[in-house]
Amino acid sequence: MATELHHLSDYDLKSVPDASNMCFGIVVSEWNDEITGALLDGALNTLKKHGAIPENIHVKTVPGSFELVYGAHQMILNGGYDAIIILGCVIRGGTPHFDYICQGVTSGISRLNATSEIPIIYGLLTTENLQQAKDRSGGCLGNKGDECAVVAIKMAKF
Ligand code: DLZ
C-alpha cells in the first residue's frame, strides 16, 4: 500500500527481473514539466539500471495529462512494447478541472489495461500543491518514475 511511510522507491533490487530483453514505451506530459522531467529521469535511470537498452526505450511527449491515454493507446497500436509507462502531474487548482482530468486519465488507463495485451503503468501524480509533487519526483518521498520503472519490468515479466 502506498503511504507516506512506504513507497516502492525502497524496493529490493534483487526482486526485479533483468530487463535487457525488454522494450518499453514512455508517454510523458509536458504540463508541469519540471516535475514530469524528474519523473522521466527517474524512470529512465531505473530501467537502465536493470539492464534495459536505451535504444529499446521510446519516449513520446503529449501536451497535458489528459492526452496520456491517447498517447498510450497509440503506442499499443504501434506494437512492439513489453510495457508502457505514462508519466504526468496534475496539481489541484481552484476549479473542478483537477478532478475531471484525474478521473479521465485514471479510467482511461484502467480501460486500456483491461483491454490490451500489455501492461500500462500508471505514473500520474495527483497532488494538492507543487511541494507534494516535488516530494514525489525525487524528493523526500522518492520518485514515482523509479517506482513505475520497477513495476513496468515486473509486469512485463508477468
Ligand atoms: C488544463 C490543464 C490544467 C488546468 N491543469 C493541468 C495539470 O495540472 N496537469 C496536466 O498534466 N495538465 C493540465 N491541464 C491540461 C490537460 O491535461 C489537457 O492537456 C487539456 O485539457 C487539453 O486536452
Side-chain angles (χ1 to χ4, degrees):
M1 188 167 57
T3 71
E4 293 200 358
L5 300 176
H6 176 89
H7 49 84
L8 287 173
S9 299
D10 293 332
Y11 66 96
D12 173 12
L13 277 172
K14 293 191 290 294
S15 73
V16 183
D18 173 48
S20 56
N21 290 322
M22 297 176 181
C23 190
F24 299 95
I26 302 179
V27 194
V28 56
S29 165
E30 292 166 354
W31 198 286
N32 294 320
D33 62 351
E34 176 193 357
I35 301 297
T36 60
L39 297 175
L40 179 61
D41 288 345
L44 291 172
N45 288 339
T46 301
L47 289 175
K48 287 185 241 171
K49 188 165 78 186
H50 291 286
I53 297 163
E55 290 73 28
N56 291 340
I57 307 171
H58 301 163
V59 179
K60 298 285 280 185
T61 59
V62 291
S65 290
F66 198 73
E67 286 72 47
L68 289 167
V69 177
Y70 179 86
H73 190 215
Q74 291 306 306
M75 280 193 158
I76 293 168
L77 295 177
N78 286 344
Y81 298 106
D82 296 296
I84 292 169
I85 300 169
I86 61 108
L87 298 173
C89 172
V90 196
I91 299 176
R92 189 184 288 280
T95 72
H97 210 93
F98 171 91
D99 301 293
Y100 292 121
I101 295 175
C102 296
Q103 198 174 15
V105 178
T106 304
S107 61
I109 295 300
S110 299
R111 198 172 59 250
L112 289 179
N113 265 311
T115 54
S116 82
E117 302 207 338
I118 57 165
I120 315 298
I121 313 306
Y122 178 81
L124 183 70
L125 289 180
T126 58
T127 65
E128 294 293 325
N129 52 52
L130 182 60
Q131 188 57 51
Q132 285 184 347
K134 287 182 176 175
D135 291 345
R136 291 160 176 78
S137 56
C140 61
L141 293 175
N143 188 326
K144 192 156 185 73
D146 292 344
E147 299 175 14
C148 287
V150 169
V151 174
I153 295 167
K154 288 185 172 181
M155 290 310 293
K157 179 82 173 173
F158 183 94

